[in-house]
Amino acid sequence: DRPGSLRVVEKISNGVKRLESLVSQTLHFTREMRVNRSRVDLAEIVEQSLELASARLHGEAIELIVRGEKELPVDADATLMGQVVLNLLLNAAEAMAENADRPRRLTVQYGAPPSSSEARHFHLSVTDTGPGIGPDVMDRIFNPFFTTKDTGTGLGLSIVHRIIEAHDGAITVKNLSGGGCGFEIRV
């Protein structure tokens, strides 16, 4: 019955949620990374991550393209790898939200590594049609607490990088020739 008070309470609540998220991400980042490898289905991990991101992807009217085997057994930590995929999906959706005048397309591609690859388990890529990453930012995107977002903590991609390294893998990022950005994971 008091709209002014309600707005103040909502602002306080949102601030507390942001602080809780920052503290949680900071604690997660500083914690020792323990990988509990087991035989998991990468296709299922991708599907679950897409399901978790679906509200954001549909809200931004993003066309989704998924290319991969129906089943791909790999040795990985399902929870951590799910976090990696989800983070990359949400980052891509946010990047494309800034580009209202371009088609919004998100492509997830995964499969067994080619024989020429150093990877032992899989390759996974997430590409988008967003604005890409500026050259002044490219070398710093995996640094802890580095962000270009007004509300970001700068820990998301740092955590992704740590998870991939803990799996003895590698992650690379590049701008695409037609616009957009692509992350490639090799584990």
Side-chain angles (χ1 to χ4, degrees):
D1 66 335
R2 290 179 273 169
S5 297
L6 179 62
R7 281 192 299 278
V8 170
V9 169
E10 286 172 344
K11 286 181 182 180
I12 291 170
S13 177
N14 289 336
V16 168
K17 286 177 186 172
R18 280 194 303 277
L19 284 173
E20 182 181 48
S21 174
L22 176 61
V23 168
S24 174
Q25 288 184 26
T26 302
L27 289 173
H28 185 76
F29 182 77
T30 58
R31 197 177 321 137
E32 181 183 341
M33 187 69 61
R34 289 194 183 123
V35 176
N36 296 316
R37 288 182 191 263
S38 62
R39 200 71 169 160
V40 296
D41 183 5
L42 185 62
E44 188 176 315
I45 292 170
V46 169
E47 184 179 323
Q48 289 171 354
S49 298
L50 287 166
E51 208 171 283
L52 289 170
S54 66
R56 179 68 192 263
L57 299 176
H58 292 301
E60 297 294 340
I62 293 172
E63 175 190 358
L64 181 63
I65 300 167
V66 180
R67 296 184 183 119
E69 301 168 32
K70 290 184 181 185
E71 290 183 16
L72 183 60
V74 297
D75 290 324
D77 184 312
T79 303
L80 293 176
M81 207 50 68
Q83 182 177 354
V84 165
V85 176
L86 179 61
N87 185 287
L88 293 176
L89 293 172
L90 294 176
N91 280 359
E94 189 168 342
M96 288 186 287
E98 299 169 11
N99 257 11
D101 57 334
R102 294 191 55 182
R104 297 176 182 176
R105 188 174 314 107
L106 177 60
T107 304
V108 179
Q109 192 165 325
Y110 60 91
S115 59
S116 61
S117 174
E118 296 176 7
R120 297 181 319 273
H121 301 284
F122 64 89
H123 278 205
L124 182 141
S125 66
V126 176
T127 59
D128 65 59
T129 57
I133 299 172
D136 57 325
V137 173
M138 187 68 80
D139 292 338
R140 300 183 293 165
I141 62 167
F142 293 117
N143 291 352
F145 303 106
F146 175 77
T147 184
T148 58
K149 303 173 189 174
D150 293 336
T151 59
T153 62
L155 289 173
L157 288 175
S158 297
I159 291 170
V160 164
H161 190 263
R162 284 192 63 208
I163 290 171
I164 298 304
E165 283 187 335
H167 277 82
D168 299 319
I171 182 169
T172 56
V173 60
K174 66 180 179 182
N175 286 319
L176 306 176
S177 60
C181 174
F183 285 85
E184 183 181 15
I185 295 168
R186 295 175 307 279
V187 174

